[in-house]
Amino acid sequence: MKRLICLILSLLLLTGCGKSETEQPEEEKLIVVGISQVGAESDWRVANSESMKSVFTEERDYRLLFEDARQIQENQIIAVRRFIQQRVDYIVLMPLSETGWDSVLQEAWDAGIPVILVDRMVDVEDDSLYAAHVGSDFYAQGRKAVTWMERKFRNSSEAVNIVHIQGTPGSTAQLGRTNALEDGLTAHENWNLLARLDGDFTQAKTYEVMSRYLGTLPPEQGIDVVYCENDNEAFGAIEALERYGYQCGTDVNVICFDATRNALKLCMEGKIALTVECNPLLGPLVEEIIQTMEAGQIPQKQHYIEEKQFTSRNLTQQIIDSREY
Ligand code: GYE
């Protein structure tokens, strides 16, 4: 009797328990997406991760493998190699900095796994190593800030004293926003760069470097602009400036990028003069690219998104309330 039961069970297993031959087990129907995220250094980054996680869910037929690199590029390279070993269907990479990607992207290409770049770019010799890029034009964002400064100081022949707080060195967001300011400095003789500090896109580091810097300044030193390469740097800079008795919005014009809800609030209060929008909600666009490839088509290589800019003049409470990030 035992033998008979075993035989029936084995037969059932062999025939797939009566399922038709074309039907696949649940797991195999899911599109497997491996995401290598930079870290969680800013409000922008957290919103970007949330956007990806809300799109790539099992209910929507995806299996998501999400790796946070904690701001270390080596961790991203390890994650991408792991995704290749796991034979994921797509790799989504938010590269920390632009260089150092040729070998690992070549490995993904050799394994036939498309790589979609999100947010920042990579500097590789062969751009067929990635399928598409979705992100912002960071130089254009920087130009918006520089144009605002040009208008603000157009009638002033006196020195415009600027403190520049940079983002993670070598990242596309840093390079584009820095280059735009550099061009502004070259174009305007009276724009005077007081200092260039590395805030690494974080509030804590910016508070630290800014406090240290302000501590070295003579009390009469005026600062007209603090050009922060993201909102979180602006939060840290404002804290430090206030600690040293500067009035943000009256003495100092703090400029930043992202336009997250907390920055919009400070802008409405007048402490931030300008925040240039950088949209982190890129999950739906990445999904569109994946679906294009699933349909056997070639996706558009470059996707830039429309972005605005905010000052206390065009901000409303309604805009702040409806901000998703
Ligand atoms: O502005 C900043 C972040 O690369 C666009 O990185 C991104 C930047 C963003 O940490 O907040």
Side-chain angles (χ1 to χ4, degrees), residues 38 40-45 71 95-96 119-120 136 138 141 168 171-174 177 200-202 229-232 257-258 260 278-279:
V38 166
E41 75 283 3
S42 63
D43 295 3
W44 187 98
R45 186 69 54 200
Q71 295 255 76
L96 179 87
D119 160 27
R120 304 172 185 174
S136 303
F138 300 113
Q141 290 178 350
T168 307
S171 65
T172 316
Q174 178 270 312
R177 292 166 185 169
D200 205 18
F201 286 132
T202 73
E229 288 186 357
N230 79 345
D231 285 352
N232 290 77
F257 299 86
D258 287 349
T260 54
C278 180
N279 189 348

Side-chain angles (χ1 to χ4, degrees), residues 263-269 275 310-320:
L264 293 181
K265 281 186 194 158
L266 287 173
C267 192
M268 189 86 149
E269 284 171 31
T275 178
F310 298 98
T311 65
S312 58
R313 283 185 175 201
N314 66 346
L315 253 185
T316 60
Q317 192 57 45
Q318 200 197 346
I319 295 177
I320 298 178

Side-chain angles (χ1 to χ4, degrees), residues 10-289:
S10 324
L11 276 173
L12 275 175
L13 276 174
L14 275 174
T15 56
C17 299
K19 279 190 178 179
S20 81
E21 272 181 20
T22 48
E23 219 172 319
Q24 293 175 1
E26 271 309 294
E27 180 77 354
E28 279 175 32
K29 282 191 208 151
L30 301 177
I31 298 173
V32 184
V33 180
I35 299 188
S36 168
Q37 178 59 285
V38 166
E41 75 283 3
S42 63
D43 295 3
W44 187 98
R45 186 69 54 200
V46 172
N48 181 246
S49 297
E50 285 308 314
S51 173
M52 299 296 152
K53 287 177 186 168
S54 66
V55 166
F56 298 111
T57 60
E58 297 215 351
E59 296 74 59
R60 309 181 77 248
D61 296 333
Y62 295 100
R63 191 153 87 82
L64 174 61
L65 308 176
F66 187 92
E67 298 272 355
D68 175 336
R70 298 191 173 78
Q71 295 255 76
I72 299 170
Q73 184 169 358
E74 193 49 36
N75 288 345
Q76 291 202 287
I77 292 173
I78 293 169
V80 171
R81 291 213 165 107
R82 197 174 310 131
F83 294 151
I84 296 171
Q85 271 170 11
Q86 290 167 313
R87 309 209 59 77
V88 300
D89 297 309
Y90 297 90
I91 292 174
V92 174
L93 171 66
M94 291 78 170
L96 179 87
S97 55
E98 290 199 347
T99 54
W101 295 104
D102 293 83
S103 321
V104 76
L105 291 190
Q106 184 66 52
E107 289 165 35
W109 197 90
D110 291 343
I113 303 173
V115 174
I116 299 160
L117 301 175
V118 172
D119 160 27
R120 304 172 185 174
M121 266 301 285
V122 294
D123 179 7
V124 285
E125 285 200 359
D126 175 3
D127 74 359
S128 65
L129 290 182
Y130 59 87
H133 170 242
V134 186
S136 303
D137 180 340
F138 300 113
Y139 182 80
Q141 290 178 350
R143 275 297 312 159
K144 288 182 186 168
V146 168
T147 306
W148 183 90
M149 286 164 67
E150 284 168 343
R151 286 211 195 107
K152 173 88 185 167
F153 299 104
R154 68 176 169 265
N155 296 323
S156 139
S157 50
E158 287 171 26
V160 176
N161 290 319
I162 303 166
V163 175
H164 176 193
I165 303 178
Q166 293 184 288
T168 307
S171 65
T172 316
Q174 178 270 312
L175 295 167
R177 292 166 185 169
T178 292
N179 289 342
L181 179 61
E182 280 285 310
D183 290 346
L185 285 162
T186 312
H188 301 279
E189 273 186 4
N190 63 328
W191 287 18
N192 174 37
L193 182 67
L194 285 177
R196 180 163 277 156
L197 311 171
D198 175 12
D200 205 18
F201 286 132
T202 73
Q203 178 168 347
K205 175 135 187 226
T206 304
Y207 176 74
E208 186 191 312
V209 294
M210 190 64 175
S211 299
R212 202 180 310 136
Y213 171 67
L214 293 174
T216 66
L217 286 183
E220 66 281 5
Q221 176 65 61
I223 301 176
D224 298 297
V225 174
V226 180
Y227 182 100
C228 301
E229 288 186 357
N230 79 345
D231 285 352
N232 290 77
E233 289 186 345
F235 306 154
I238 291 170
E239 254 181 278
L241 285 160
E242 289 181 341
R243 178 177 153 202
Y244 280 85
Y246 288 88
Q247 303 281 325
C248 298
T250 347
D251 312 342
V252 192
N253 294 281
V254 176
I255 293 178
C256 50
F257 299 86
D258 287 349
T260 54
R261 195 185 308 112
N262 286 336
L264 293 181
K265 281 186 194 158
L266 287 173
C267 192
M268 189 86 149
E269 284 171 31
K271 289 191 181 188
I272 287 178
L274 167 76
T275 178
V276 178
E277 186 175 55
C278 180
N279 189 348
L281 307 179
L282 305 177
L285 266 171
V286 176
E287 186 187 27
E288 253 179 54
I289 293 172

